[in-house]
Amino acid sequence: TVWIVATVCGCVLGVVLLVGMLAAIMMPAVGAARASARRAQCAINLKQIQNAIQAYHQEHGQYPPAYSVDDAGRRLHSWRVLILPYLGPEAASIYAQIELKEPWDSAMNMRFNSMMPPVFACPEDPESNLGDTSYSAIAGPGAILDPKSIVTEANVMQGDGTWQTALIVEMSGSGINWMEPKDLTVADLAQGINSGVNGTCCSNHVGGGTNVVFADGTTRFIPDTLTAEDLHAMATYDGGEIVEDLDYYD
């Protein structure tokens, strides 16, 4: 009887050790698969945002400005608010309730600060606070989303081309509320990807890079080794610069 018990215990222990070894072997693969899925979902979010921007363009005949302003030139709402009608019924419902003639952080609008549509949050952005976006436009002079200029797809095609011009990039831990009229500038992007400089383009994805959606709708994982010159070229639509390696990034 003692021999049988010892044999059974030995077998059980062997099975437990085997299961433990298999789990240890599989854990890195499972972790990598989950990270890959989060990166893919982040890319899908960016594509949905680009689709909404394109729908805005089709209706208004131009890209949305980086932010809306009142008659005095005071910033009111981010482009993220302006594209809500093109992001589905729930987002459109939020848009219908926002007081567009008042600033994003007015007493009337502050209640929406925490009601960010999920599409504006990257699943690989644990640093994000409630209502803070994971995505930033490239905004300002030279960029597609310029609050002071009317930019159309035809302008971009006559310039560097939609496939060469970045539209939206990741900004992990941005500290920017989704309604806030604040984004990266061309100069900010040229500081580098994952450079460690506060207020620049960054992500938490494994692989040393970040997801970027271009004006033609393609989403590419851009490595953080891209030079400042190439990043500047990528951010502007009519600088006459071509980034040769963009076609190789997936």
Side-chain angles (χ1 to χ4, degrees):
T1 302
V2 174
W3 178 82
I4 294 174
V5 171
T7 300
V8 171
C9 290
C11 290
V12 171
L13 180 59
V15 170
V16 171
L17 289 173
L18 179 60
V19 170
M21 290 174 62
L22 289 173
I25 292 171
M26 292 176 64
M27 280 180 65
V30 171
R34 289 175 177 171
S36 178
R38 291 192 293 268
R39 172 176 149 182
Q41 182 57 55
C42 183
I44 290 171
N45 288 352
L46 283 167
K47 176 59 177 174
Q48 290 177 331
I49 292 170
Q50 191 275 340
N51 284 342
I53 291 175
Q54 194 62 31
Y56 179 102
H57 186 289
Q58 289 176 354
E59 180 170 340
H60 297 276
Q62 65 182 78
Y63 289 105
Y67 49 81
S68 60
V69 296
D70 62 15
D71 293 338
R74 179 178 56 165
R75 296 187 183 190
L76 297 178
H77 295 281
S78 166
W79 60 271
R80 287 173 284 268
V81 171
L82 302 182
I83 67 169
L84 287 177
Y86 313 99
L87 285 171
E90 292 184 11
S93 176
I94 294 174
Y95 181 81
Q97 300 174 67
I98 294 173
E99 181 49 66
L100 297 174
K101 294 183 179 180
E102 294 184 10
W104 68 280
D105 56 352
S106 71
M108 283 288 293
N109 288 327
M110 281 192 68
R111 62 192 174 111
F112 301 107
N113 288 180
S114 61
M115 298 173 64
M116 180 175 73
V119 72
F120 292 129
C122 175
E124 196 72 281
D125 188 4
E127 303 170 19
S128 180
N129 296 317
L130 182 64
D132 284 356
T133 182
S134 304
Y135 306 113
S136 172
I138 308 301
I144 290 179
L145 270 62
D146 186 343
K148 298 182 179 180
S149 299
I150 294 176
V151 181
T152 69
E153 186 173 72
N155 296 145
V156 181
M157 291 302 295
Q158 290 167 4
D160 297 340
T162 55
W163 62 93
Q164 277 279 326
T165 309
L167 195 58
I168 310 295
V169 301
E170 287 189 74
M171 192 177 179
S172 178
S174 69
I176 299 173
N177 186 270
W178 74 279
M179 298 178 71
E180 187 177 0
K182 182 179 179 181
D183 287 281
L184 295 176
T185 65
V186 173
D188 291 331
L189 186 63
Q191 291 287 323
I193 296 172
N194 298 330
S195 64
V197 177
N198 188 41
T200 57
C201 178
C202 58
S203 81
N204 292 306
H205 299 298
V206 175
T210 192
N211 285 315
V212 176
V213 69
F214 287 75
D216 69 338
T218 58
T219 303
R220 304 184 184 108
F221 193 72
I222 302 299
D224 51 23
T225 54
L226 210 64
T227 66
E229 290 78 14
D230 281 347
L231 288 169
H232 185 279
M234 194 175 76
T236 56
Y237 70 87
D238 63 351
E241 316 109 321
I242 297 299
V243 184
E244 298 292 345
D245 294 334
L246 284 183
D247 291 339
Y248 298 100
Y249 302 139
D250 58 13

